Amino acid sequence: MQRDLSVLWHPCTQMKDHEHWPVIPIKQGQGVWLEDFDGHRYLDSISSWWVNLFGHNNPHINTAIKQQLDQLEHVLLAGFTHESVIRLSEHLVQLTPQGLEKCFYADNGSSAIEAALKMSFHYWQNCDQQQKNKFVCLSNSYHGETLGALSVGDVALYKQTYQPLLLETVTVTSPDCFNRESGESWEAYSLKQFTVMEKTLAEQAEQICAVIVEPLVQCAGSMRMYHPAYLSKLRQTCDRYNIHLIADEVAVGFGRTGTLFACEQAKITPDILCLSKGLTGGYLPLAAVLTTDTIYQAFYDDYTTLRAFLHSHSYTGNPLGCAAALATIDLFKNTDVIGKNRHLSQYLWQKAEPLQDHPHVAEVRQHGMIVAIEMVQNKANKTPYPWQERRGLTVYQHGLQNEMLLRPLGNVVYWMPPYIITEEQIDHLATVTIEGIHAATQAA
Ligand SMILES: *Cc1c(COP(=O)(O)O)cnc(C)c1O
């Protein structure tokens, strides 16, 4: 720990916090468990920041990476190609919503978003629509931390400081259902919110390249959720006004919301789909940006027309990452993961639901394998606890003392476990969570 703090600067961390709370060195991982050097273990209920799907040290993915390593560790993807990236692209085209035909690769979620934004903008340039230069995003959205991705996000904690550096974007009220009236359905509320989007697109269509959304769950935005009907409306309206729809499934892709891709629940195909996180089963940084043949063809021309998409990263399509992704897809194909998750989701709900009666819980919500519990100061009018009180930290600490890695987002405690979690482990998770929420909401 001392060696770490003398040379490392950790992500998303006020380093001074580590004067009070030690950083935890992990020695090994196995299944849902992470184990430190003192023999303490932690159930990874947040899938190591939402990336892990089939457990740590998964034998099938391990083998695939080792085999790839002995064959080819890396080759540039311009002018060259390799078997794993071709196979992965074939699978992704087949598995993702109908109409996505081409795969472009990046290294992580944020760089996938950057590629998607540039691709959409450049498409309109290539179509002689130079006036299209704006992006529309939802309030409370999150698309990553690089400057372009941050521009289309709306989580003040990450964005505010950098505002002067960012692109100008159009932010539209989110369909997130937290503030619906009691008795109002998710569907009715999300559809009501759509009127703002409809108006914005109608008025500014000429200038808009694309609308970018996180389908169904705004994960970094406190796991706020909405109804798929919003996405169906959005698809129709984008079509009507000649605007791209970019679906950022970096967090929700690969089964998180109960279907392989969240867009399936709205029966839509986006113009551009961004995937990362679960893509490699949580093993290696890799991202895919899928798009339609229409977009692809707008770039396809003689070199001297200078219409090509000259965007690149050194490690584009890295073979080890592709091998991990192929092994992850195998695991989906070999067992009925989605069907099994349906049962697990029901079990998660059964365990979380009683918290709805807790005097300091405003809402327990779920989309598939994501459950969120929102703690509030005042349940009746949903007044949040002041962020300075850091109530979530009490839950985090209580978790660590009880073999549990829980990492609340502010006042929102959530479960986003690897799909191999058992009912017994969910029981443990629920017990520690409930105790943690009691502890966090008791203190004055
Ligand atoms: C995590 C995340 C990103 C950014 O991915 P990184 O790999 O962390 O850069 C983008 N969009 C969404 C929806 C995410 O959850």
mmCIF file of all heavy atoms in Angstrom, residues 167-201:
data_model
loop_
_atom_site.group_PDB
_atom_site.id
_atom_site.type_symbol
_atom_site.label_atom_id
_atom_site.label_comp_id
_atom_site.label_asym_id
_atom_site.label_seq_id
_atom_site.Cartn_x
_atom_site.Cartn_y
_atom_site.Cartn_z
ATOM 1 N N LEU A 167 -17.213 20.797 -26.420
ATOM 2 C CA LEU A 167 -18.095 21.090 -27.548
ATOM 3 C C LEU A 167 -19.424 21.616 -27.018
ATOM 4 O O LEU A 167 -19.875 21.207 -25.959
ATOM 5 C CB LEU A 167 -18.430 19.806 -28.315
ATOM 6 C CG LEU A 167 -17.339 18.971 -28.919
ATOM 7 C CD1 LEU A 167 -17.937 17.671 -29.446
ATOM 8 C CD2 LEU A 167 -16.679 19.753 -30.049
ATOM 9 N N GLU A 168 -20.055 22.445 -27.807
ATOM 10 C CA GLU A 168 -21.390 22.897 -27.438
ATOM 11 C C GLU A 168 -22.389 21.813 -27.848
ATOM 12 O O GLU A 168 -22.386 21.387 -29.002
ATOM 13 C CB GLU A 168 -21.678 24.173 -28.223
ATOM 14 C CG GLU A 168 -22.427 25.212 -27.430
ATOM 15 C CD GLU A 168 -22.696 26.408 -28.307
ATOM 16 O OE1 GLU A 168 -21.743 27.153 -28.614
ATOM 17 O OE2 GLU A 168 -23.860 26.554 -28.695
ATOM 18 N N THR A 169 -23.194 21.387 -26.905
ATOM 19 C CA THR A 169 -24.157 20.339 -27.240
ATOM 20 C C THR A 169 -25.559 20.775 -26.800
ATOM 21 O O THR A 169 -25.716 21.726 -26.056
ATOM 22 C CB THR A 169 -23.806 19.007 -26.544
ATOM 23 O OG1 THR A 169 -23.543 19.276 -25.169
ATOM 24 C CG2 THR A 169 -22.587 18.362 -27.160
ATOM 25 N N VAL A 170 -26.547 20.037 -27.281
ATOM 26 C CA VAL A 170 -27.931 20.330 -26.918
ATOM 27 C C VAL A 170 -28.379 19.245 -25.940
ATOM 28 O O VAL A 170 -28.390 18.067 -26.291
ATOM 29 C CB VAL A 170 -28.841 20.311 -28.163
ATOM 30 C CG1 VAL A 170 -30.284 20.634 -27.783
ATOM 31 C CG2 VAL A 170 -28.307 21.267 -29.218
ATOM 32 N N THR A 171 -28.707 19.644 -24.716
ATOM 33 C CA THR A 171 -29.086 18.664 -23.705
ATOM 34 C C THR A 171 -30.603 18.684 -23.501
ATOM 35 O O THR A 171 -31.184 19.734 -23.263
ATOM 36 C CB THR A 171 -28.375 18.959 -22.367
ATOM 37 O OG1 THR A 171 -26.981 19.073 -22.624
ATOM 38 C CG2 THR A 171 -28.601 17.847 -21.358
ATOM 39 N N VAL A 172 -31.182 17.506 -23.623
ATOM 40 C CA VAL A 172 -32.641 17.361 -23.554
ATOM 41 C C VAL A 172 -33.000 16.559 -22.294
ATOM 42 O O VAL A 172 -32.280 15.617 -21.935
ATOM 43 C CB VAL A 172 -33.137 16.634 -24.829
ATOM 44 C CG1 VAL A 172 -34.575 16.176 -24.677
ATOM 45 C CG2 VAL A 172 -32.976 17.527 -26.042
ATOM 46 N N THR A 173 -34.104 16.913 -21.654
ATOM 47 C CA THR A 173 -34.527 16.228 -20.422
ATOM 48 C C THR A 173 -34.576 14.711 -20.595
ATOM 49 O O THR A 173 -35.171 14.200 -21.549
ATOM 50 C CB THR A 173 -35.956 16.672 -20.026
ATOM 51 O OG1 THR A 173 -36.100 18.032 -20.357
ATOM 52 C CG2 THR A 173 -36.207 16.433 -18.560
ATOM 53 N N SER A 174 -33.995 14.032 -19.641
ATOM 54 C CA SER A 174 -33.922 12.571 -19.691
ATOM 55 C C SER A 174 -35.285 11.921 -19.432
ATOM 56 O O SER A 174 -36.097 12.453 -18.684
ATOM 57 C CB SER A 174 -32.928 12.103 -18.623
ATOM 58 O OG SER A 174 -33.084 10.732 -18.376
ATOM 59 N N PRO A 175 -35.529 10.748 -20.014
ATOM 60 C CA PRO A 175 -36.764 9.998 -19.725
ATOM 61 C C PRO A 175 -36.702 9.220 -18.416
ATOM 62 O O PRO A 175 -37.638 8.469 -18.102
ATOM 63 C CB PRO A 175 -36.850 9.032 -20.913
ATOM 64 C CG PRO A 175 -35.445 8.832 -21.347
ATOM 65 C CD PRO A 175 -34.733 10.125 -21.082
ATOM 66 N N ASP A 176 -35.635 9.386 -17.656
ATOM 67 C CA ASP A 176 -35.444 8.664 -16.397
ATOM 68 C C ASP A 176 -36.680 8.793 -15.508
ATOM 69 O O ASP A 176 -37.210 9.878 -15.328
ATOM 70 C CB ASP A 176 -34.149 9.178 -15.751
ATOM 71 C CG ASP A 176 -34.269 9.513 -14.274
ATOM 72 O OD1 ASP A 176 -34.925 8.757 -13.549
ATOM 73 O OD2 ASP A 176 -33.698 10.532 -13.873
ATOM 74 N N CYS A 177 -37.152 7.678 -14.978
ATOM 75 C CA CYS A 177 -38.480 7.610 -14.340
ATOM 76 C C CYS A 177 -38.495 7.894 -12.849
ATOM 77 O O CYS A 177 -39.540 7.740 -12.207
ATOM 78 C CB CYS A 177 -39.087 6.228 -14.596
ATOM 79 S SG CYS A 177 -39.439 5.950 -16.336
ATOM 80 N N PHE A 178 -37.373 8.289 -12.286
ATOM 81 C CA PHE A 178 -37.311 8.484 -10.832
ATOM 82 C C PHE A 178 -38.361 9.484 -10.340
ATOM 83 O O PHE A 178 -38.962 9.309 -9.290
ATOM 84 C CB PHE A 178 -35.910 8.954 -10.429
ATOM 85 C CG PHE A 178 -35.735 9.147 -8.951
ATOM 86 C CD1 PHE A 178 -35.742 8.051 -8.089
ATOM 87 C CD2 PHE A 178 -35.547 10.419 -8.406
ATOM 88 C CE1 PHE A 178 -35.570 8.216 -6.718
ATOM 89 C CE2 PHE A 178 -35.380 10.587 -7.031
ATOM 90 C CZ PHE A 178 -35.392 9.485 -6.190
ATOM 91 N N ASN A 179 -38.591 10.537 -11.104
ATOM 92 C CA ASN A 179 -39.499 11.590 -10.644
ATOM 93 C C ASN A 179 -40.935 11.459 -11.127
ATOM 94 O O ASN A 179 -41.706 12.412 -11.067
ATOM 95 C CB ASN A 179 -38.932 12.960 -11.038
ATOM 96 C CG ASN A 179 -37.718 13.293 -10.181
ATOM 97 O OD1 ASN A 179 -37.744 13.157 -8.958
ATOM 98 N ND2 ASN A 179 -36.621 13.684 -10.820
ATOM 99 N N ARG A 180 -41.295 10.257 -11.604
ATOM 100 C CA ARG A 180 -42.690 10.074 -12.029
ATOM 101 C C ARG A 180 -43.618 10.170 -10.810
ATOM 102 O O ARG A 180 -43.187 9.953 -9.676
ATOM 103 C CB ARG A 180 -42.859 8.728 -12.749
ATOM 104 C CG ARG A 180 -42.807 7.523 -11.831
ATOM 105 C CD ARG A 180 -42.679 6.218 -12.606
ATOM 106 N NE ARG A 180 -42.703 5.072 -11.718
ATOM 107 C CZ ARG A 180 -41.699 4.677 -10.945
ATOM 108 N NH1 ARG A 180 -40.555 5.341 -10.936
ATOM 109 N NH2 ARG A 180 -41.808 3.607 -10.169
ATOM 110 N N GLU A 181 -44.874 10.481 -11.079
ATOM 111 C CA GLU A 181 -45.867 10.545 -10.000
ATOM 112 C C GLU A 181 -46.123 9.124 -9.494
ATOM 113 O O GLU A 181 -45.969 8.163 -10.246
ATOM 114 C CB GLU A 181 -47.195 11.105 -10.525
ATOM 115 C CG GLU A 181 -47.111 12.492 -11.150
ATOM 116 C CD GLU A 181 -46.726 13.557 -10.138
ATOM 117 O OE1 GLU A 181 -47.167 13.436 -8.968
ATOM 118 O OE2 GLU A 181 -45.977 14.482 -10.505
ATOM 119 N N SER A 182 -46.543 9.012 -8.232
ATOM 120 C CA SER A 182 -46.836 7.658 -7.751
ATOM 121 C C SER A 182 -48.046 7.137 -8.530
ATOM 122 O O SER A 182 -49.008 7.868 -8.787
ATOM 123 C CB SER A 182 -47.099 7.646 -6.239
ATOM 124 O OG SER A 182 -48.322 8.264 -5.965
ATOM 125 N N GLY A 183 -47.960 5.903 -8.965
ATOM 126 C CA GLY A 183 -49.032 5.312 -9.758
ATOM 127 C C GLY A 183 -48.835 5.494 -11.258
ATOM 128 O O GLY A 183 -49.480 4.824 -12.053
ATOM 129 N N GLU A 184 -47.917 6.386 -11.649
ATOM 130 C CA GLU A 184 -47.662 6.588 -13.092
ATOM 131 C C GLU A 184 -46.717 5.493 -13.589
ATOM 132 O O GLU A 184 -45.741 5.161 -12.914
ATOM 133 C CB GLU A 184 -47.021 7.978 -13.290
ATOM 134 C CG GLU A 184 -46.953 8.424 -14.735
ATOM 135 C CD GLU A 184 -46.445 9.861 -14.870
ATOM 136 O OE1 GLU A 184 -45.877 10.387 -13.894
ATOM 137 O OE2 GLU A 184 -46.604 10.428 -15.965
ATOM 138 N N SER A 185 -47.000 4.933 -14.756
ATOM 139 C CA SER A 185 -46.154 3.846 -15.258
ATOM 140 C C SER A 185 -44.872 4.414 -15.861
ATOM 141 O O SER A 185 -44.824 5.570 -16.274
ATOM 142 C CB SER A 185 -46.899 3.036 -16.319
ATOM 143 O OG SER A 185 -46.997 3.779 -17.515
ATOM 144 N N TRP A 186 -43.838 3.561 -15.909
ATOM 145 C CA TRP A 186 -42.572 3.958 -16.551
ATOM 146 C C TRP A 186 -42.853 4.380 -17.991
ATOM 147 O O TRP A 186 -42.331 5.367 -18.479
ATOM 148 C CB TRP A 186 -41.590 2.774 -16.586
ATOM 149 C CG TRP A 186 -40.887 2.480 -15.291
ATOM 150 C CD1 TRP A 186 -41.388 2.638 -14.030
ATOM 151 C CD2 TRP A 186 -39.559 1.965 -15.153
ATOM 152 N NE1 TRP A 186 -40.433 2.240 -13.117
ATOM 153 C CE2 TRP A 186 -39.319 1.821 -13.772
ATOM 154 C CE3 TRP A 186 -38.553 1.599 -16.065
ATOM 155 C CZ2 TRP A 186 -38.096 1.324 -13.277
ATOM 156 C CZ3 TRP A 186 -37.346 1.107 -15.583
ATOM 157 C CH2 TRP A 186 -37.129 0.978 -14.201
ATOM 158 N N GLU A 187 -43.696 3.599 -18.646
ATOM 159 C CA GLU A 187 -43.950 3.858 -20.069
ATOM 160 C C GLU A 187 -44.579 5.237 -20.254
ATOM 161 O O GLU A 187 -44.131 6.034 -21.084
ATOM 162 C CB GLU A 187 -44.854 2.780 -20.656
ATOM 163 C CG GLU A 187 -45.111 3.004 -22.131
ATOM 164 C CD GLU A 187 -45.740 1.810 -22.826
ATOM 165 O OE1 GLU A 187 -46.200 0.886 -22.125
ATOM 166 O OE2 GLU A 187 -45.775 1.823 -24.064
ATOM 167 N N ALA A 188 -45.619 5.517 -19.458
ATOM 168 C CA ALA A 188 -46.310 6.800 -19.592
ATOM 169 C C ALA A 188 -45.349 7.955 -19.308
ATOM 170 O O ALA A 188 -45.314 8.951 -20.035
ATOM 171 C CB ALA A 188 -47.505 6.849 -18.645
ATOM 172 N N TYR A 189 -44.531 7.790 -18.268
ATOM 173 C CA TYR A 189 -43.632 8.878 -17.891
ATOM 174 C C TYR A 189 -42.549 9.120 -18.964
ATOM 175 O O TYR A 189 -42.312 10.250 -19.386
ATOM 176 C CB TYR A 189 -42.971 8.602 -16.538
ATOM 177 C CG TYR A 189 -42.151 9.777 -16.064
ATOM 178 C CD1 TYR A 189 -42.764 10.860 -15.427
ATOM 179 C CD2 TYR A 189 -40.779 9.833 -16.300
ATOM 180 C CE1 TYR A 189 -42.022 11.955 -15.025
ATOM 181 C CE2 TYR A 189 -40.033 10.927 -15.901
ATOM 182 C CZ TYR A 189 -40.655 11.984 -15.258
ATOM 183 O OH TYR A 189 -39.919 13.074 -14.873
ATOM 184 N N SER A 190 -41.929 8.033 -19.429
ATOM 185 C CA SER A 190 -40.874 8.175 -20.441
ATOM 186 C C SER A 190 -41.435 8.798 -21.719
ATOM 187 O O SER A 190 -40.793 9.644 -22.346
ATOM 188 C CB SER A 190 -40.235 6.815 -20.751
ATOM 189 O OG SER A 190 -39.474 6.374 -19.647
ATOM 190 N N LEU A 191 -42.636 8.371 -22.088
ATOM 191 C CA LEU A 191 -43.236 8.918 -23.308
ATOM 192 C C LEU A 191 -43.574 10.398 -23.143
ATOM 193 O O LEU A 191 -43.420 11.184 -24.081
ATOM 194 C CB LEU A 191 -44.481 8.118 -23.706
ATOM 195 C CG LEU A 191 -44.172 6.752 -24.319
ATOM 196 C CD1 LEU A 191 -45.460 5.972 -24.580
ATOM 197 C CD2 LEU A 191 -43.349 6.877 -25.606
ATOM 198 N N LYS A 192 -44.006 10.767 -21.947
ATOM 199 C CA LYS A 192 -44.297 12.174 -21.677
ATOM 200 C C LYS A 192 -43.025 13.015 -21.852
ATOM 201 O O LYS A 192 -43.052 14.089 -22.443
ATOM 202 C CB LYS A 192 -44.831 12.303 -20.244
ATOM 203 C CG LYS A 192 -45.483 13.619 -19.931
ATOM 204 C CD LYS A 192 -46.283 13.555 -18.627
ATOM 205 C CE LYS A 192 -45.356 13.548 -17.423
ATOM 206 N NZ LYS A 192 -46.066 13.266 -16.169
ATOM 207 N N GLN A 193 -41.902 12.473 -21.376
ATOM 208 C CA GLN A 193 -40.631 13.201 -21.500
ATOM 209 C C GLN A 193 -40.211 13.363 -22.962
ATOM 210 O O GLN A 193 -39.412 14.231 -23.285
ATOM 211 C CB GLN A 193 -39.508 12.476 -20.741
ATOM 212 C CG GLN A 193 -39.713 12.387 -19.242
ATOM 213 C CD GLN A 193 -39.882 13.740 -18.584
ATOM 214 O OE1 GLN A 193 -40.999 14.245 -18.458
ATOM 215 N NE2 GLN A 193 -38.793 14.349 -18.190
ATOM 216 N N PHE A 194 -40.749 12.503 -23.802
ATOM 217 C CA PHE A 194 -40.320 12.550 -25.207
ATOM 218 C C PHE A 194 -40.729 13.841 -25.910
ATOM 219 O O PHE A 194 -40.101 14.237 -26.902
ATOM 220 C CB PHE A 194 -40.832 11.333 -25.994
ATOM 221 C CG PHE A 194 -40.177 11.228 -27.336
ATOM 222 C CD1 PHE A 194 -38.887 10.743 -27.438
ATOM 223 C CD2 PHE A 194 -40.817 11.675 -28.488
ATOM 224 C CE1 PHE A 194 -38.238 10.696 -28.664
ATOM 225 C CE2 PHE A 194 -40.180 11.627 -29.725
ATOM 226 C CZ PHE A 194 -38.889 11.126 -29.800
ATOM 227 N N THR A 195 -41.756 14.502 -25.406
ATOM 228 C CA THR A 195 -42.206 15.726 -26.081
ATOM 229 C C THR A 195 -41.084 16.761 -26.190
ATOM 230 O O THR A 195 -40.995 17.476 -27.178
ATOM 231 C CB THR A 195 -43.411 16.364 -25.343
ATOM 232 O OG1 THR A 195 -43.072 16.484 -23.967
ATOM 233 C CG2 THR A 195 -44.665 15.523 -25.484
ATOM 234 N N VAL A 196 -40.197 16.804 -25.195
ATOM 235 C CA VAL A 196 -39.074 17.749 -25.234
ATOM 236 C C VAL A 196 -38.110 17.382 -26.371
ATOM 237 O O VAL A 196 -37.632 18.238 -27.128
ATOM 238 C CB VAL A 196 -38.290 17.770 -23.893
ATOM 239 C CG1 VAL A 196 -37.298 18.922 -23.868
ATOM 240 C CG2 VAL A 196 -39.231 17.813 -22.715
ATOM 241 N N MET A 197 -37.849 16.088 -26.490
ATOM 242 C CA MET A 197 -36.965 15.618 -27.558
ATOM 243 C C MET A 197 -37.584 15.913 -28.927
ATOM 244 O O MET A 197 -36.929 16.440 -29.831
ATOM 245 C CB MET A 197 -36.727 14.107 -27.396
ATOM 246 C CG MET A 197 -35.855 13.480 -28.456
ATOM 247 S SD MET A 197 -34.158 14.102 -28.471
ATOM 248 C CE MET A 197 -33.398 13.076 -27.215
ATOM 249 N N GLU A 198 -38.857 15.604 -29.036
ATOM 250 C CA GLU A 198 -39.579 15.813 -30.298
ATOM 251 C C GLU A 198 -39.450 17.272 -30.748
ATOM 252 O O GLU A 198 -39.116 17.565 -31.900
ATOM 253 C CB GLU A 198 -41.052 15.449 -30.057
ATOM 254 C CG GLU A 198 -41.992 15.791 -31.192
ATOM 255 C CD GLU A 198 -42.197 14.624 -32.141
ATOM 256 O OE1 GLU A 198 -42.500 13.522 -31.661
ATOM 257 O OE2 GLU A 198 -42.044 14.826 -33.366
ATOM 258 N N LYS A 199 -39.675 18.182 -29.823
ATOM 259 C CA LYS A 199 -39.645 19.610 -30.111
ATOM 260 C C LYS A 199 -38.226 20.044 -30.524
ATOM 261 O O LYS A 199 -38.043 20.745 -31.513
ATOM 262 C CB LYS A 199 -40.088 20.372 -28.852
ATOM 263 C CG LYS A 199 -40.279 21.852 -29.024
ATOM 264 C CD LYS A 199 -41.118 22.420 -27.858
ATOM 265 C CE LYS A 199 -41.316 23.919 -27.975
ATOM 266 N NZ LYS A 199 -40.097 24.686 -27.687
ATOM 267 N N THR A 200 -37.239 19.579 -29.775
ATOM 268 C CA THR A 200 -35.847 19.939 -30.066
ATOM 269 C C THR A 200 -35.446 19.480 -31.466
ATOM 270 O O THR A 200 -34.850 20.231 -32.240
ATOM 271 C CB THR A 200 -34.906 19.289 -29.028
ATOM 272 O OG1 THR A 200 -35.363 19.643 -27.732
ATOM 273 C CG2 THR A 200 -33.474 19.730 -29.226
ATOM 274 N N LEU A 201 -35.787 18.237 -31.781
ATOM 275 C CA LEU A 201 -35.391 17.707 -33.087
ATOM 276 C C LEU A 201 -36.139 18.424 -34.205
ATOM 277 O O LEU A 201 -35.564 18.746 -35.249
ATOM 278 C CB LEU A 201 -35.629 16.191 -33.152
ATOM 279 C CG LEU A 201 -34.843 15.347 -32.130
ATOM 280 C CD1 LEU A 201 -34.969 13.861 -32.450
ATOM 281 C CD2 LEU A 201 -33.382 15.729 -32.047
#
